[in-house]
C-alpha cells in the first residue's frame, strides 16, 4: 500500500519549488563532479572517433526510450491528481502507476528488439561490434526509470532523482568506462553506459518500492492501455521533440562530418548540458505544483510560479554558462588537445541553454493546458532547427570550412531555434492564463558584465590557474551582482531552509487534489 499523499497549502507551493530546486541543485554539483572524469577518460583513452560513434548510438537509444515512456514523465502527475481516492471509488496510486510501467515495458522491449534486428539507425557510420549492439537493452530501463522517478517527484521526493541521476548513473559510467577500456577498448563506452543505466534503475526502484509498494489487486487492462496510449502520445512526442532539439544537431553533424568531429562536438555538448541539468532541478517538482493550481483554476498563481522558476533557472544557467564558456579552451583542453577546436561550439551551446530556459518552464504548464498547441510549436522548433542546421552544413561543405566551424554553425542553429521557441511558448502561455509570462530582469545583464570582467583577468592566467581560480572568480562576480540587484525576497527563499512544516507539506490527513480542470479551449 502506498503511503498517504501529503496535503499542500497554497503558501507552501513556492517553498516546495525552492526545496526541490535546492535538493536537485546539489545533484547538479555532484553530476558536474562525475561528468568531468567520464569526459577525460573518453577523450584521453578512447579518442574522439570512438566518442563520436558512441554519441550517435545513444541518441537513437535515448530518443526511443523517451517515446516509450508514453508521456508518463510529465503526464503521470496529472493522472495521479485526477484519480479519486480509493474510498471515493478511485484506484490506488500504485495501480495507476502500474498501467504506465506495463505499457512502457512492452514498448521498450519491442523497440529494443527492432533496433537489435536493424542497428543501422544507431550506427550511421556502419562501424560497430556485437557488444555495441547490446545498447538496445538500455531502452526499456531508461523508460522505466523516468516513470519511477516521476512517481517519486509527485510525492516531492526529489532526492531519489538526485541519487539515481546525479550520483549513481554518472559515477558508474565514469568508473566502468575506465575498467572496460582495460578489457574491451572498442566497446567499453557502450558497456559502461549500459551498466550505468541499470544501476540508476535499481537505485530509483528502491525508494519507489518503499513509497508505493506492490499494486495489490491490479490487473492489466487493454482498454486502459489504449486510453493511456492515446492520452500520452502528444506528451511523449513533445518530450521527445524537446529532447531531440538537443540531439538533432549532433545527428545532422554525423551525416556530414567525420566521427572525430562528432566526438569533439559531443564533448562540447556534454559540457554545455551541465547548465541544462539546472532546469531539471525544478522540473520534477514544478509539474505536481502546477497540477494542483490548475485544479484550483488559480491561473495567476501559475503565471507567478512559471516566471519565478524561469528567472531562477535563467539566472543559474547564465552564471554557469559564463563560468564554463569564458575559459572554454582550457576546459576543452582537459579532454585532450584535439578537442580545443570545439570551443566555438561550446560557446553557442551554452548560450542556447540560457535562451531555452523560458521555453522549458512555459512548456511545463503548456503540457497541461494546451498540449496539442504545445506539440505543434515543438514540431515547428525542431523543423526550424533541422532546416537551419542542414543548410549550414551544406554551406560549410561548399566553402570547405574546417570541422570546428561546422560544429560551431550547428550549435548556432540550435541557439536560434530555441530562442524562437522560448518567445512563442511564453506568448502562448500568457494568452491562455491571461497573465504575462516573462522571466527577464535587467540585473542579468549587469551580472554578466561583472562575470566577463572577471573572466578577462582569468584567461590571462596559466591554464591550471584559469580553471582553479578563474571559474570560481567568474561565478563569484556574477553571483554577487545577481544576488544584490536581481534577487528579491521571494527569490531568496531558494537559499533558505527555514520553512514551516505546513509549507513543505508534512501533514497527511487532508484529502488529495481534486480532478484537474484546465482553462477553456485546452487544445
Amino acid at each position: 500500500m502506498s503511503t498517504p499523499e501529503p496535503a499542500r497549502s497554497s503558501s507552501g507551493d513556492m517553498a516546495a519549488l525552492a526545496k526541490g530546486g535546492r535538493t536537485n541543485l546539489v545533484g547538479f554539483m555532484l553530476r558536474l563532479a562525475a561528468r568531468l572524469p567520464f569526459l577525460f577518460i573518453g577523450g584521453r583513452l578512447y579518442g574522439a572517433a570512438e566518442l563520436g560513434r558512441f554519441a550517435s548510438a545513444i541518441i537513437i537509444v535515448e530518443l526511443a526510450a523517451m517515446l516509450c515512456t508514453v508521456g508518463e514523465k510529465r503526464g503521470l502527475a496529472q493522472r495521479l491528481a485526477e484519480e479519486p481516492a480509493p474510498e471515493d471509488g478511485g484506484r490506488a496510486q500504485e495501480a495507476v502507476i502500474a498501467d504506465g510501467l506495463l505499457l512502457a515495458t512492452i514498448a521498450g522491449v519491442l523497440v529494443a528488439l527492432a533496433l537489435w534486428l536493424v542497428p543501422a539507425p544507431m550506427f550511421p557510420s556502419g562501424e560497430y561490434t556485437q557488444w555495441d549492439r547490446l545498447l538496445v537493452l538500455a531502452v526499456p530501463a531508461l523508460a522505466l526509470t523516468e516513470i519511477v522517478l516521476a512517481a517519486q517527484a509527485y510525492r516531492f521526493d526529489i532526492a531519489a532523482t538526485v541519487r539515481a541521476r546525479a550520483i549513481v548513473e554518472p559515477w558508474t559510467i565514469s568508473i566502468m568506462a575506465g575498467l572496460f577500456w582495460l578489457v574491451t577498448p572498442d566497446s567499453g563506452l557502450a558497456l559502461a553506459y549500459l551498466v550505468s543505466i541499470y544501476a540508476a534503475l535499481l537505485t530509483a526502484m528502491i525508494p519507489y518500492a518503499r513509497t508505493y509498494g506492490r499494486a495489490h489487486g491490479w490487473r492489466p487492462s487493454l482498454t486502459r492501455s489504449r486510453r493511456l496510449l492515446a492520452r500520452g502520445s502528444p506528451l511523449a512526442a513533445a518530450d521527445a521533440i524537446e529532447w531531440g532539439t538537443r540531439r538533432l544537431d549532433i545527428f545532422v553533424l554525423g551525416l556530414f562530418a567525420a566521427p572525430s568531429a562528432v566526438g569533439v562536438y559531443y564533448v562540447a555538448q556534454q559540457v554545455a548540458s551541465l547548465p541544462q541539468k539546472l532546469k531539471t532541478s525544478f522540473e520534477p517538482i514544478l509539474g505536481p505544483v502546477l497540477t494542483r493550481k490548475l485544479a484550483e483554476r488559480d491561473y495567476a498563481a501559475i503565471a507567478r510560479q512559471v516566471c519565478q522558476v524561469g528567472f531562477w533557472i535563467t539566472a543559474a544557467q547564465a552564471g554557469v554558462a559564463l563560468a564554463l564558456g569564458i575559459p572554454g579552451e582550457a576546459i576543452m583542453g582537459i579532454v585532450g588537445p584535439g578537442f580545443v577546436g570545439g570551443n566555438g561550439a561550446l560557446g553557442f551551446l551554452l548560450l542556447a541553454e540560457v535562451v531555452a530556459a523560458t521555453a522549458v518552464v512555459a512548456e511545463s504548464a503548456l503540457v497541461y493546458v494546451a498540449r496539442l498547441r504545445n506539440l505543434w510549436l515543438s514540431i515547428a522548433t525542431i523543423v526550424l532547427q533541422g532546416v537551419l542546421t542542414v543548410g549550414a552544413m551544406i554551406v560549410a561543405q561548399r566553402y570547405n570550412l574546417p570541422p570546428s566551424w561546422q560544429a560551431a554553425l550547428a550549435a548556432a542553429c540550435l541557439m536560434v531555434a530555441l530562442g524562437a521557441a522560448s518567445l512563442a511558448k511564453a506568448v502562448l502561455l500568457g494568452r491562455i492564463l491571461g497573465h504575462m509570462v516573462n522571466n527577464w530582469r535587467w540585473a542579468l545583464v549587469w551580472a554578466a558584465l561583472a562575470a566577463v570582467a572577471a573572466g578577462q583577468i582569468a584567461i590571462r592566467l596559466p591554464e591550471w590557474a584559469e580553471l582553479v581560480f578563474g571559474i570560481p572568480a567568474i561565478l563569484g562576480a556574477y553571483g554577487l551582482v545577481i544576488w544584490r540587484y536581481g534577487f528579491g525576497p521571494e527569490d531568496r527563499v531558494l537559499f533558505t531552509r527555514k520553512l514551516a512544516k505546513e509549507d513543505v507539506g508534512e501533514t497527511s490527513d487532508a484529502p488529495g487534489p481534486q480532478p484537474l480542470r484546465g482553462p477553456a479551449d485546452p487544445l
Side-chain angles (χ1 to χ4, degrees):
M1 252 334 252
S2 62
T3 56
E5 180 187 351
R8 309 292 308 168
S9 65
S10 59
S11 62
D13 287 330
M14 197 58 70
L17 289 170
K19 183 179 180 182
R22 278 197 309 275
T23 303
N24 237 339
L25 193 60
V26 173
F28 162 75
M29 301 306 297
L30 294 172
R31 186 186 289 262
L32 172 62
R35 183 61 65 184
L36 293 179
F38 170 71
L39 294 178
F40 180 85
I41 291 170
R44 297 282 180 169
L45 298 184
Y46 290 91
E50 187 64 32
L51 270 174
R53 285 190 288 271
F54 169 72
S56 297
I58 64 172
I59 285 173
I60 302 301
V61 168
E62 294 182 356
L63 175 60
M66 188 68 68
L67 291 172
C68 290
T69 63
V70 290
E72 289 291 87
K73 179 180 179 181
R74 287 188 287 187
L76 180 61
Q78 186 175 18
R79 288 208 304 128
L80 290 173
E82 289 178 339
E83 188 70 29
E87 56 268 23
D88 296 329
R91 296 191 301 148
Q93 289 184 344
E94 55 267 28
V96 175
I97 299 168
D99 288 340
L101 291 175
L102 174 63
L103 194 56
T105 301
I106 294 173
V109 170
L110 292 176
V111 170
L113 180 61
L115 288 175
W116 172 266
L117 295 175
V118 186
M122 294 193 299
F123 308 103
S125 66
E127 302 176 24
Y128 60 90
T129 68
Q130 291 303 310
W131 291 112
D132 291 334
R133 293 178 69 182
L134 291 177
L135 277 172
V136 300
L137 298 177
V139 175
L142 279 166
L144 292 176
T145 303
E146 292 289 358
I147 297 175
V148 168
L149 292 177
Q152 289 301 108
Y154 185 75
R155 296 296 187 86
F156 302 101
D157 177 15
I158 307 304
T161 301
V162 172
R163 286 190 296 268
R165 294 297 195 204
I167 300 176
V168 173
E169 183 182 318
W171 279 108
T172 299
I173 194 174
S174 296
I175 294 170
M176 298 308 297
L179 294 178
F180 278 125
W181 181 78
L182 300 174
V183 180
T184 171
D186 291 337
S187 303
L189 290 176
L191 293 175
Y193 177 80
L194 192 59
V195 173
S196 72
I197 294 304
Y198 275 90
L201 174 59
L202 178 61
T203 304
M205 288 299 299
I206 292 173
Y208 173 79
R210 288 198 299 263
T211 303
Y212 292 96
R214 292 179 56 189
H216 295 284
W218 172 80
R219 294 290 184 274
S221 168
L222 184 59
T223 301
R224 290 200 307 268
S225 296
R226 283 200 302 260
R227 190 184 309 126
L228 176 57
L229 184 61
R231 173 176 178 165
S233 294
L235 270 178
D239 285 338
I241 291 170
E242 193 273 335
W243 177 91
T245 56
R246 305 302 204 282
R247 301 296 187 276
L248 180 64
D249 47 0
I250 200 169
F251 177 77
V252 173
L253 190 63
L255 298 177
F256 287 88
S260 58
V262 178
V264 172
Y265 191 87
Y266 173 74
V267 171
Q269 191 181 66
Q270 289 299 297
V271 174
S273 72
L274 293 172
Q276 180 192 354
K277 305 305 179 186
L278 288 169
K279 177 258 296 183
T280 64
S281 298
F282 301 95
E283 189 177 62
I285 204 75
L286 185 57
V289 168
L290 292 180
T291 57
R292 286 163 171 81
K293 288 301 178 186
L294 278 171
E296 301 168 4
R297 294 178 174 270
D298 191 350
Y299 306 141
I302 294 173
R304 287 195 304 270
Q305 288 162 357
V306 167
C307 292
Q308 189 91 59
V309 174
F311 172 69
W312 287 347
I313 294 175
T314 301
Q317 285 186 331
V320 174
L322 288 164
L324 296 177
I326 294 174
E329 288 189 8
I331 290 176
M332 295 294 290
I334 294 175
V335 184
F339 292 84
V340 175
N343 182 45
L346 175 61
F348 281 117
L349 287 170
L350 290 168
L351 283 174
E353 294 303 334
V354 176
V355 300
T358 302
V360 167
V361 181
E363 188 173 80
S364 297
L366 286 173
V367 293
Y368 300 118
V369 298
R371 64 180 63 189
L372 289 183
R373 280 185 283 177
N374 174 70
L375 176 59
W376 284 115
L377 283 178
S378 297
I379 292 173
T381 300
I382 202 167
V383 169
L384 174 63
Q385 182 194 359
V387 170
L388 291 175
T389 307
V390 171
M393 294 302 100
I394 293 174
V395 171
Q397 289 198 336
R398 181 176 179 180
Y399 289 96
N400 295 318
L401 297 180
S404 60
W405 282 62
Q406 294 180 37
L409 285 172
C413 293
L414 171 64
M415 181 187 68
V416 172
L418 292 179
S422 287
L423 180 61
K425 293 190 177 185
V427 170
L428 174 60
L429 181 60
R431 288 178 177 176
I432 292 173
L433 298 179
H435 300 273
M436 180 178 291
V437 175
N438 180 15
N439 58 14
W440 173 258
R441 300 183 192 179
W442 282 104
L444 292 167
V445 175
W446 318 135
L449 291 175
V452 169
Q456 292 306 305
I457 300 174
I459 60 176
R460 288 167 171 76
L461 300 174
E463 188 172 282
W464 66 269
E466 183 179 352
L467 296 174
V468 174
F469 301 112
I471 292 178
I474 294 170
L475 283 173
Y478 177 89
L480 183 64
V481 176
I482 202 71
W483 177 266
R484 175 65 179 83
Y485 298 103
F487 275 60
E490 287 190 353
D491 300 304
R492 295 178 184 181
V493 71
L494 182 63
F495 299 94
T496 179
R497 298 179 61 88
K498 297 178 180 179
L499 302 174
K501 288 186 177 181
E502 62 271 16
D503 282 346
V504 291
E506 295 182 6
T507 60
S508 59
D509 55 353
Q514 299 301 309
L516 274 174
R517 297 288 189 275
D521 183 25
L523 302 183

